[in-house]
Amino acid sequence: MNKRDAVETKTRILSTAEKLFSEVGFDGARVDDIAKEAGVNKALIYYYFKSKDEILDTLFSALIDEIKQVLIQKTVAGTPEIQDNIINGDYRPLIDAFMDFMFRKRKIIKIVIGESVKASTKLSMVMKVGTLIIDGEIESIRKAYESKGLHFSVNKQEFLVTEFFTGFMPLISYALYGDEWQKIYHISEKDLREQFYQSFKKTHLAAHLGE
Amino acid sequence: MNKRDAVETKTRILSTAEKLFSEVGFDGARVDDIAKEAGVNKALIYYYFKSKDEILDTLFSALIDEIKQVLIQKTVAGTPEIQDNIINGDYRPLIDAFMDFMFRKRKIIKIVIGESVKASTKLSMVMKVGTLIIDGEIESIRKAYESKGLHFSVNKQEFLVTEFFTGFMPLISYALYGDEWQKIYHISEKDLREQFYQSFKKTHLAAHLGE
Amino acid sequence: MNKRDAVETKTRILSTAEKLFSEVGFDGARVDDIAKEAGVNKALIYYYFKSKDEILDTLFSALIDEIKQVLIQKTVAGTPEIQDNIINGDYRPLIDAFMDFMFRKRKIIKIVIGESVKASTKLSMVMKVGTLIIDGEIESIRKAYESKGLHFSVNKQEFLVTEFFTGFMPLISYALYGDEWQKIYHISEKDLREQFYQSFKKTHLAAHLGE
Amino acid sequence: MNKRDAVETKTRILSTAEKLFSEVGFDGARVDDIAKEAGVNKALIYYYFKSKDEILDTLFSALIDEIKQVLIQKTVAGTPEIQDNIINGDYRPLIDAFMDFMFRKRKIIKIVIGESVKASTKLSMVMKVGTLIIDGEIESIRKAYESKGLHFSVNKQEFLVTEFFTGFMPLISYALYGDEWQKIYHISEKDLREQFYQSFKKTHLAAHLGE
DNA sequence: CATGAATGAGTCTTCATTCAT
DNA sequence: GATGAATGAAGACTCATTCAT
């Protein structure tokens, strides 16, 4: 096997683990099953990863890296258009980008949430990621304002609470329960997302606008 | 041992299980530890419950029962005062009652969320409970309106999406991460709750008022 | 409960145990199940019997007692008619009595055989019972002969081997597998028994006659 | 470890299980003890076998395979000499081969009988094996006759009953209780076998000859 | 006699992890 | 890189038996 194959093998292990962790939880997933479903020998998993925990850590790190990437791309390093939209209160493109990302990553998000509710966890990944995103958001908005010569100030603590509980968590919830909602109410992802966006707009975003 | 003791023993097992499940997750909790911490013989747990799963089911059922109880008490069967408040858009007492309940029940709520994100779960408890609560809410509001000879109508699907994702889930999030937030930001429960309420008011509740 | 009921309760426990032991083996049977099926409290079983083993011992003792009873009644203490038959080589009534008994007792016989094949068992019940019966048989034949002023002599060891392996064990086998044979070959107990008797007659009994 | 070792390990587990099952019964045997006595890690047993039951099944299958092998070798595919013997009514070599086999396999035969008397067992192994052997026997005799231009006919049902209860079961009994008999009556295997053969000859085989 | 509650000592089975090749 | 074999440490669940009333 050449390097490309090796990388591919490791990736296959990771995505299989992601799938299984999201389906049955981290504790519920068996390394045996990951091996079987990934089509590799179990010992090989331990060749690539020191432990089952390290697989999870790798997935988490990758998630955080991607989030940073998306944040930078979609906000801070966003096009002048995006920045205009933000100032004009048209968050639609931003939210859409975010929802795309979240929906695509819903498997690992489920894992993160599943792990975060265990009290044993040190600093919950959710708060870690939430704070990360919100900080990025603040920065992005500030930058947008500044690029127009405007000033943006905010009560950090108040802002955080609002963003985390009424902005970030609803979006996360969409990633967690969107699938199920579609099934129960026989609604397409597109339609549900539109409904969600309307709700989000008239609640969370309305507050943004109002400020 | 008389009947009272037996009931007490079973209750002790249940609350110990609730505690451990919430701390390390359902899979992470050991029946041995539940027994040890509850001060009972392990076999006794299996005398009262067919399996570890049945302990969880019992906790879930009890939660749902309590929620129904609270709902009825605080809304549909509420005092005229409560009903007046609803019509006047003063949801504070209602929300407070709810947050009290949720904060008190945060241990089991964490378990529910932890289990709900596993795809294997049939109909996620969260959606079950969420729908239950929202239906109760609708009924309560309708009843409040009708008692004043007013009419209350709502687009059910739209209402559900809004209530679930931007109303129910933020409240759940408060139960999930309130503790951690307090620790990280060195803020008391009372203060955090006030902040949360203000955020909730200017986002979710504002939409209610606006309708 | 008066004494009659108490006896009845104990009997019910015994017959339920006999049934379960024969169905799933001694090890496979649960005291819990005996209690449930007998409709008594589990602790009550321990009031009547010191242990699960003692239930088995009681069943075994009762079996041996009954065998002795039957033997005496049907052979040694048999009517002159029976004794005539024996001398004339007409074992039919004797064999019939025996098969009746065995078929009726097939449940406990299954238990005895099941236990006897465990090497750990001290002296196998089977050999104990087998020897008991064969000794009785010898005595009965001798007595029949003597009552007619005839003499009956036998090479004990040779007789024992023949009686045990080609006489006693086929009869036991009938008790063990008669039920199943009926089911598989769709044959009534009456017909199977007739076939068995013919086979037994032309093999084992023929040798008796020939002597 | 190479493949040869692996096979050897699995075999060791099987023969240890066979030994223990025959000593204390299937239910009485502990997987822990099998592991300890086979000198392997307990988990390794579950690497090779899905469950304790599967160990038993494997032993049973192997027994049936061996029986088929012996049958073919000793009868249908037997030498002309063997076939001559059968026609001449000299079953000694055949019976000897059979008794050798049975005595060698007495451990697993005890297990089979022990399990077969449990009503829960589907189609009792004993009847399965018994029928298998008897069918093979019929075939072998028929073939011997035909090779000499002779005709062999038989009433199947009658033949089966005779062979099973007065031929097969006494032989089985010898495997079950031969050991014990030797101990009780202080007789060598060789002598007991001779006695058994004489008894078998003048009962079961005499009927064969007479036909 | 009778019972619900309680227990100690297993018993099978699982699982993350490692070893030898 | 890759694999079949092997292992230590638990884990859920069971069961005969006893206790208190």
Side-chain angles (χ1 to χ4, degrees), chain A residues 65-103:
Chain A
D65 286 349
E66 276 200 73
I67 287 174
K68 284 178 182 165
Q69 213 58 36
V70 167
L71 270 183
I72 289 168
Q73 203 184 327
K74 290 290 166 185
T75 60
V76 186
T79 62
E81 238 174 310
I82 286 179
Q83 305 207 342
D84 277 354
N85 287 334
I86 288 173
I87 292 170
N88 297 332
D90 178 8
Y91 292 96
R92 183 70 191 244
L94 188 59
I95 299 293
D96 258 341
F98 224 87
M99 290 184 77
D100 278 341
F101 179 74
M102 290 231 153
F103 200 70

Side-chain angles (χ1 to χ4, degrees), chain B residues 1 29-32 42-43 46 51-52:
Chain B
M1 296 267 165
R30 307 296 153 219
V31 175
D32 260 297
K42 190 183 11 171
Y46 286 91
S51 67
K52 196 181 163 190

